[in-house]
Amino acid sequence: MKKNTIILSFIILLFSCKNNSESNGKLNIVTTTTMITDLANNIGGNLVNVQGLMGSGVDPHLYKASEGDVTKLVNADIIFYNGLHLEGKLIEVFEKMESSNKTPIALAEEIDKNTLIGSEYFASNYDPHVWFNIEYFKQFAIKISKVLAEKDPKNAANYKENERLYLAKLDSLQEKIETIIDTLPKEKRILVTAHDAFNYFGKNYGFEVVGLQGLSTATEAGVQDVQKLAAFIIQRKVKAMFVESSVPKRTIEALQAAVNSKGHNVAIGGTLYSDALGDAGTVEGTYIGMFEHNVNTIINALK
Ligand code: ZN
């Protein structure tokens, strides 16, 4: 029997004996990516328990549910995930749950599809890395607040206030990073990374974005991709490119070697947090800290 089949049978078994429960009267929230975990903590505060399935450095494209995760999902009052097939290996688990009374909520599905960047890499037909558009992340915040208020009406005013405070922080973040990016001349705004996570970032801040591995890390970069991108870097005189905390370094290192062998020096400008935040408890372990870190790293390396 395949591992997936075992897990799916496990879910059905657990659901059939599960009663609705709350621990210490608090809502149990389960989230997938670290960005969503951080957001749920900001909106829920100490009124909720948030358990994130994925930690720092974890690649959501490749992440598979463990049996421990399934237990957390079954015990959850609310499940928030990104959707648009970001969590490609969890879709089957979530679809199975939709037929139960607990529907996992795909936050990115709330966004107006006409504004999304299309992609043929994903079954969703859209680029799922939407958190790099701060306006979209604000929509995530509003949705989470709304769902918490519905499930826990006695604390609705608190969730609404947390939402208001967090949205204000996101507005300040937006202003701050626009000021920093304004210092980088337009012709230097070329962002070469391990995989294509930064298209929404590029669209908003005027960067040409090139990812070595395409939109999902599920497909490896081939020799041809490396040679093509090396030629691009030399032609456009790109000063630096970036590794990502959730993608192995070796592909970018191979690209650097290919460029350097042709006599153009390209630096590795630092590590960006793309599909996962930094370690919990650090500044980069928050969405806001991650965004500032990325922007500072990019600007310092390219200017
Ligand atoms: Zn990605």
Side-chain angles (χ1 to χ4, degrees):
M1 195 155 52
K2 275 170 55 195
K3 194 179 168 224
N4 263 355
T5 320
I6 297 172
I7 288 182
L8 289 179
S9 320
F10 188 57
I11 294 173
I12 295 163
L13 179 73
L14 283 173
F15 270 114
S16 53
C17 37
K18 159 84 176 137
N19 297 313
N20 272 348
S21 72
E22 290 182 20
S23 64
N24 319 322
K26 292 184 180 183
L27 287 174
N28 270 322
I29 301 172
V30 173
T31 51
T32 55
T33 68
T34 46
M35 289 71 76
I36 297 172
T37 306
D38 179 48
L39 183 55
N41 274 316
N42 272 287
I43 304 298
N46 52 18
L47 298 169
V48 299
N49 295 315
V50 181
Q51 287 184 293
L53 299 184
M54 301 174 194
S56 64
V58 171
D59 181 348
H61 301 290
L62 305 178
Y63 188 84
K64 289 185 185 137
S66 66
E67 284 186 19
D69 291 342
V70 173
T71 307
K72 286 177 191 159
L73 291 167
V74 169
N75 289 318
D77 298 304
I78 309 169
I79 299 158
F80 292 117
Y81 70 111
N82 187 83
L84 297 177
H85 279 246
L86 175 78
E87 301 96 335
K89 316 267 178 199
L90 297 182
I91 299 293
E92 216 180 327
V93 175
F94 289 144
E95 277 173 358
K96 207 73 190 172
M97 298 184 80
E98 274 168 17
S99 56
S100 76
N101 59 354
K102 184 169 353 200
T103 306
I105 296 163
L107 295 167
E109 304 285 347
E110 300 288 314
I111 301 166
D112 176 2
K113 296 276 196 301
N114 294 317
T115 69
L116 292 175
I117 298 172
S119 162
E120 36 190 61
Y121 282 93
F122 289 87
S124 66
N125 293 319
Y126 297 102
D127 181 339
H129 303 89
V130 293
W131 57 93
F132 282 119
N133 179 325
I134 294 174
E135 289 304 313
Y136 291 158
F137 204 64
K138 284 166 77 176
Q139 290 183 39
F140 279 27
I142 293 164
K143 177 68 179 181
I144 289 178
S145 161
K146 190 169 162 238
V147 173
L148 296 190
E150 278 164 11
K151 289 266 183 183
D152 179 21
K154 67 181 185 303
N155 287 315
N158 294 312
Y159 299 131
K160 194 69 195 165
E161 177 61 7
N162 291 347
E163 173 200 317
R164 192 187 65 77
L165 291 171
Y166 194 68
L167 293 183
K169 285 185 189 171
L170 292 180
D171 285 336
S172 315
L173 173 70
Q174 182 75 280
E175 264 180 50
K176 193 169 177 182
I177 61 180
E178 278 172 5
T179 308
I180 300 170
I181 291 170
D182 277 346
T183 65
L184 186 70
K186 295 239 174 349
E187 69 276 8
K188 290 191 175 177
R189 295 187 193 176
I190 301 174
L191 185 56
V192 180
T193 58
H195 91 299
D196 256 347
F198 293 94
N199 289 318
Y200 291 99
F201 178 89
K203 189 179 168 190
N204 273 2
Y205 307 110
F207 280 80
E208 192 173 339
V209 175
V210 192
L212 180 55
Q213 271 176 272
L215 279 175
S216 170
T217 51
T219 49
E220 289 250 344
V223 176
Q224 250 194 331
D225 301 323
V226 172
Q227 290 307 327
K228 238 163 104 181
L229 194 43
F232 172 86
I233 288 167
I234 294 165
Q235 193 214 338
R236 301 291 296 277
K237 301 188 175 66
V238 176
K239 255 177 85 178
M241 53 197 189
F242 302 89
V243 293
E244 293 170 43
S245 68
S246 54
V247 184
K249 274 189 197 162
R250 58 189 152 75
T251 53
I252 282 291
E253 285 169 348
L255 177 59
Q256 187 185 33
V259 173
N260 289 354
S261 74
K262 295 194 170 90
H264 174 88
N265 270 330
V266 65
I268 292 182
T271 301
L272 303 181
Y273 298 100
S274 53
D275 292 6
L277 302 178
D279 291 335
T282 67
V283 174
E284 293 80 14
T286 66
Y287 174 83
I288 290 173
M290 169 281 287
F291 222 115
E292 283 187 36
H293 164 92
N294 281 355
V295 168
N296 286 324
T297 303
I298 292 167
I299 303 307
N300 287 335
L302 295 182
K303 74 180 178 198

